[in-house]
Amino acid sequence: RHRLRPRGSRAHPGDPPDAWARGAPAAREARDARGLRTWGRARGPAGAASARVVDLDGAFAGKPENKEAVAGILAKHPDLPVQLGGGVRDLATVEAYLELGLSWVIIGTQAVKDPQFVAEACKQFAGHIIVGVDAKDGWVATEGWAEASTVSAVEVVKRFADVGVSSVVYTDIGRDGMLSGVNIEATA
């Protein structure tokens, strides 16, 4: 299955990627975790260093699959703000992850399939919800990139302009991991 590597590697556009990591201590600590993808040195509130973790197995399964590995990262780095996505489909999962110590929870698939879920999560967990938008050629993919939707990335982002999401994490599936730069046109 998926392996988390201590150094970056490239995914093939449109294919469910192998897990990879770069940078942060949390990523190095998670190198033996399976099914997690971690980005280090993302910028959090007030410029604080943070890490983004994606439970790839959870994204495909539709439920958390690597909670113990996530708990290990959080225990080893209690002062590191961590955001996590993958397999978040209900409020109980959001609550459980925040109680575990995550700073933010990323909602992707449900942002397309059940927009009211995002609004309710923002209401119950204000300041802790991020919307994840993974798109190929402008159209959002769900279920860990396994399903294409008929909803545009721009439409998804506009849906949540006024519900209180902390931020939006946008991934251009065609460029992810390919070192081809940011797709500014897709985000305009």
Side-chain angles (χ1 to χ4, degrees), residues 107 111 114-131 156-168:
I107 299 171
D114 185 3
Q116 186 56 40
F117 167 70
V118 175
E120 186 60 34
C122 287
K123 187 186 301 181
Q124 288 190 33
F125 308 104
H128 298 283
I129 303 300
I130 295 173
V131 168
V156 170
V157 172
K158 285 181 178 181
R159 280 182 186 171
F160 303 110
D162 297 321
V163 300
V165 297
S166 295
S167 63
V168 173

Side-chain angles (χ1 to χ4, degrees), residues 39-93:
W39 291 263
R41 308 304 296 173
R43 291 287 151 197
S50 65
R52 180 177 315 130
V53 178
V54 178
D55 181 349
L56 291 173
D57 294 335
F60 292 114
K63 62 185 177 58
E65 292 288 327
N66 291 288
K67 194 172 178 182
E68 297 79 22
V70 173
I73 293 169
L74 296 170
K76 188 79 172 178
H77 304 281
D79 296 326
L80 180 68
V82 177
Q83 53 185 255
L84 177 130
V88 179
R89 306 287 196 276
D90 56 54
L91 293 172
T93 298

Side-chain angles (χ1 to χ4, degrees), residues 144-162:
W145 300 0
E147 293 182 15
S149 78
T150 57
V151 182
S152 76
V154 171
E155 182 182 336
V156 170
V157 172
K158 285 181 178 181
R159 280 182 186 171
F160 303 110
D162 297 321

